Amino acid sequence: MLADMEKTSADVLPLTMVSSEEQETVCIFGTGDFGRSLGLKMLQCGYSIVFGSRNPRMSSLLPNGAGVLSYSEAAKKSDIIIIALHREHYDFLTELTEVLRGKILVDVSNNLKINQYPESNAEHLAELMPGAHVVKAFNTISAWALQSGALDACGQVLVCGNDSKAKHRVMDMVRTLGLTPLDQGSLMAANEIENYPLQLFPMWKFPFYLSAVLCVFFFVYCVIRDIIYPYVYEKEDGTFYLAISIPNTIFPIAALILLAVVYLPGVIAAILQLYRGTKYRRFPDWLDHWMLCRKQLGLIALGFAFLHVLYTLVIPIRYYVRWWVTNETISQAISKKENPFNTTYAWLNDSYLALGILGFFLFVLLGITSLPSVSNVVNWREFRFVQSKLGYLTLILCTAHTLVYGGKSFLNPANLRWYLPSAEVIALIIPCTVLVIKCILILPCIDKTLTRIRQGWERNTKFSQSPFNAKTDI
């Protein structure tokens, strides 16, 4: 894979070619990195490329086969002109108003900050050149992606413009380059398209912040219970727990809570729909955003589950564990005593392990089906079955895994330290709450009403609850 990524741009073959008989000339204003990369890609796909530059004789880094002229001369060679310039350099285009009249100007620029200007760069260009047809495109593709091959990066190109013919010509050009055009509508969408590449994990912020808060909270909680408390009352130094034991407590807890948080907004949404008696009222913004982040929450939960598995696998080779096992064996040999086999404990231990293995298997299955390459080949019913039915089964298995692990110790008052229960008890609050509410929602009497609401039925709360006061939409 690394070898493929290191191929030079000369080795990249275009997916489609423009035949020599109908070879089209495209003009590119600007000889920077992006302009040169786009020009090379278009040359590979059979286009004739001419660059416009303020210093044609100084442009020595252009791809072989491309011409370079002054801006006015280059513009006369083609009716499609790609503006690969920064916004602050647009003013000189007003000198070419007559030359550019009726031509298609493709704005590929981005800004340094989100909403840096009152209007988008494409709208600003359209104001400067009212006689031209401005189309926004290619700004979501990097120069590196063009050089290394579209298949090595996201191949989607967001396109918008007011003139449908101009927009469709640009979209045809995008397809010829082996990319996928996505029509975003009129030029009013340009601002959103220009902000898109500047966003840093927009759907990941809430999951990351929540994960960080959970980790910090349970880290402090475990340090208080497992390190500070034994040191205060027994003068026992347990700081070595910070390396393996405490992280291996935090990771499964975070995974379980985040998995429950994935399904909690769906439960809240169902309760709101039942309370309102309609599906035609918007959810609160925070709930909308929460539901949009469910995939990211699930993937982070899966990451914590992987860490839990890895940390658990190293337990037998830990010095503390080997010391304890050796010491216990020697003590039993000296005292000539042995612990009798406990069938009940064996059942609990094996059940705890089996539930964890099955839960982790389904967890991985959920993660795999969330990948676009997998989700795109299954229909909606199959995807919903995996993400909903198997998702809740995963939550049940992981919750049972934690319950069996704790067993009676969760309810034992001797297990309290400064009146604080074990961290696993707190971790079970949200998952158990979600599962209990879900069990209530799937009761036939409630599920039937909820299904009718989601099919368009509305309850008129101003009048009596009779069939004559209900409205249905198809």
Side-chain angles (χ1 to χ4, degrees):
M1 182 179 294
L2 290 176
D4 292 339
M5 293 179 64
E6 292 172 357
K7 287 183 179 180
T8 61
S9 56
D11 298 328
V12 181
L13 295 177
L15 296 182
T16 55
M17 295 285 292
V18 178
S19 64
S20 57
E21 295 181 357
E22 54 181 24
Q23 191 178 53
E24 184 178 4
T25 300
V26 176
C27 174
I28 300 178
F29 279 8
T31 56
D33 290 340
F34 186 82
R36 296 197 306 270
S37 300
L38 184 58
L40 176 60
K41 183 69 175 178
M42 299 184 79
L43 280 170
Q44 293 171 344
C45 292
Y47 285 97
S48 175
I49 300 299
V50 57
F51 283 90
S53 173
R54 62 177 180 269
N55 296 312
R57 296 181 180 180
M58 300 291 291
S59 303
S60 59
L61 299 176
L62 300 180
N64 294 330
V68 55
L69 300 168
S70 65
Y71 287 123
S72 60
E73 293 175 345
K76 297 175 182 178
K77 299 291 184 178
S78 173
D79 58 348
I80 297 182
I81 301 172
I82 297 174
I83 310 296
L85 303 168
H86 292 289
R87 173 176 174 143
E88 52 267 27
H89 302 307
Y90 284 177
D91 291 341
F92 84 93
L93 295 174
T94 56
E95 302 173 3
L96 307 174
T97 301
E98 292 303 320
V99 178
L100 299 179
R101 185 175 301 276
K103 296 184 181 291
I104 299 173
L105 305 184
V106 183
D107 179 69
V108 301
S109 65
N110 282 318
N111 294 317
L112 298 177
K113 297 185 295 183
I114 293 178
N115 297 326
Q116 184 173 354
Y117 300 101
E119 73 285 329
S120 67
N121 295 345
E123 290 174 309
H124 176 61
L125 179 60
E127 292 175 359
L128 290 176
M129 310 300 298
H133 307 299
V134 177
V135 177
K136 186 74 184 183
F138 293 113
N139 71 302
T140 56
I141 299 294
S142 67
W144 175 87
L146 291 169
Q147 291 177 0
S148 59
L151 297 179
D152 293 338
C154 176
Q156 293 183 341
V157 177
L158 306 182
V159 182
C160 72
N162 293 333
D163 187 276
S164 59
K165 291 183 179 180
K167 182 166 59 175
H168 282 95
R169 282 197 63 184
V170 174
M171 293 174 68
D172 289 338
M173 185 169 61
V174 171
R175 294 188 187 94
T176 304
L177 299 183
L179 303 170
T180 304
L182 296 180
D183 190 348
Q184 300 297 296
S186 70
L187 211 58
M188 292 178 62
N191 189 62
E192 183 178 349
I193 294 176
E194 291 174 6
N195 287 336
Y196 179 78
L198 302 176
Q199 295 175 349
L200 182 63
F201 302 120
M203 289 292 104
W204 289 87
K205 288 184 180 179
F206 171 66
F208 277 141
Y209 288 152
L210 179 59
S211 303
V213 169
L214 288 174
C215 289
V216 170
F217 171 79
F218 281 104
F219 176 80
V220 174
Y221 191 89
C222 291
V223 167
I224 293 173
R225 286 193 80 258
D226 300 332
I227 296 180
I228 297 179
Y229 180 89
Y231 182 78
V232 170
Y233 287 95
E234 302 173 9
K235 299 301 179 182
E236 178 183 335
D237 183 9
T239 52
F240 64 92
Y241 288 145
L242 291 170
I244 298 293
S245 298
I246 289 181
N248 201 31
T249 300
I250 296 172
F251 294 149
I253 288 175
L256 180 60
I257 292 178
L258 289 175
L259 180 61
V261 169
V262 170
Y263 295 97
L264 182 57
V267 170
I268 296 174
I271 293 174
L272 281 175
Q273 287 179 335
L274 285 170
Y275 174 76
R276 295 170 172 176
T278 180
K279 71 171 186 178
Y280 296 111
R281 291 181 59 185
R282 287 185 58 86
F283 294 129
D285 291 339
W286 59 267
L287 184 57
D288 271 337
H289 184 70
W290 188 354
M291 296 181 77
L292 291 174
C293 293
R294 288 181 294 181
K295 175 182 176 179
Q296 289 77 10
L297 287 166
L299 291 176
I300 294 179
L302 178 59
F304 280 122
F306 264 110
L307 287 173
H308 174 49
V309 170
L310 294 176
Y311 270 70
T312 302
L313 291 175
V314 304
I315 287 178
I317 63 175
R318 293 179 61 197
Y319 168 77
Y320 168 73
V321 174
R322 290 187 285 111
W323 170 86
W324 187 88
V325 171
T326 302
N327 194 55
E328 186 70 14
T329 302
I330 294 174
S331 298
Q332 290 182 2
I334 293 175
S335 61
K336 296 182 180 181
K337 291 182 180 180
E338 63 180 39
N339 294 327
F341 184 80
N342 190 325
T343 305
T344 302
Y345 181 78
W347 263 107
L348 289 174
N349 186 261
D350 286 358
S351 300
Y352 150 72
L353 294 174
L355 290 168
I357 293 171
L358 292 173
F360 182 69
F361 169 75
L362 292 180
F363 221 143
V364 173
L365 184 62
L366 291 175
I368 292 174
T369 55
S370 68
L371 298 175
S373 58
V374 178
S375 60
N376 289 339
V377 298
V378 297
N379 60 40
W380 171 245
R381 186 174 183 183
E382 294 167 341
F383 181 79
R384 186 170 180 269
F385 172 80
V386 173
Q387 294 294 326
S388 181
K389 302 296 189 296
L390 292 186
Y392 272 106
L393 179 58
T394 305
L395 182 59
I396 291 172
L397 290 174
C398 293
T399 304
H401 170 69
T402 307
L403 283 169
V404 176
Y405 169 77
K408 296 180 180 180
S409 64
F410 283 166
L411 304 176
N412 188 355
N415 197 36
L416 299 176
R417 296 180 177 180
W418 282 328
Y419 301 102
L420 299 176
S422 64
E424 290 81 3
V425 174
I426 299 177
L428 287 168
I429 295 175
I430 296 180
C432 290
T433 302
V434 172
L435 292 175
V436 169
I437 297 176
K438 182 62 178 180
C439 289
I440 296 174
L441 291 175
I442 62 176
L443 292 175
C445 56
I446 298 178
D447 182 64
K448 182 179 179 181
T449 303
L450 186 59
T451 301
R452 292 180 65 195
I453 290 174
R454 289 173 174 173
Q455 291 177 345
W457 177 82
E458 291 186 275
R459 182 180 66 244
N460 192 336
T461 56
K462 295 181 179 180
F463 304 98
S464 61
Q465 309 298 326
S466 68
F468 300 101
N469 293 326
K471 294 185 286 185
T472 59
D473 286 334
I474 298 178

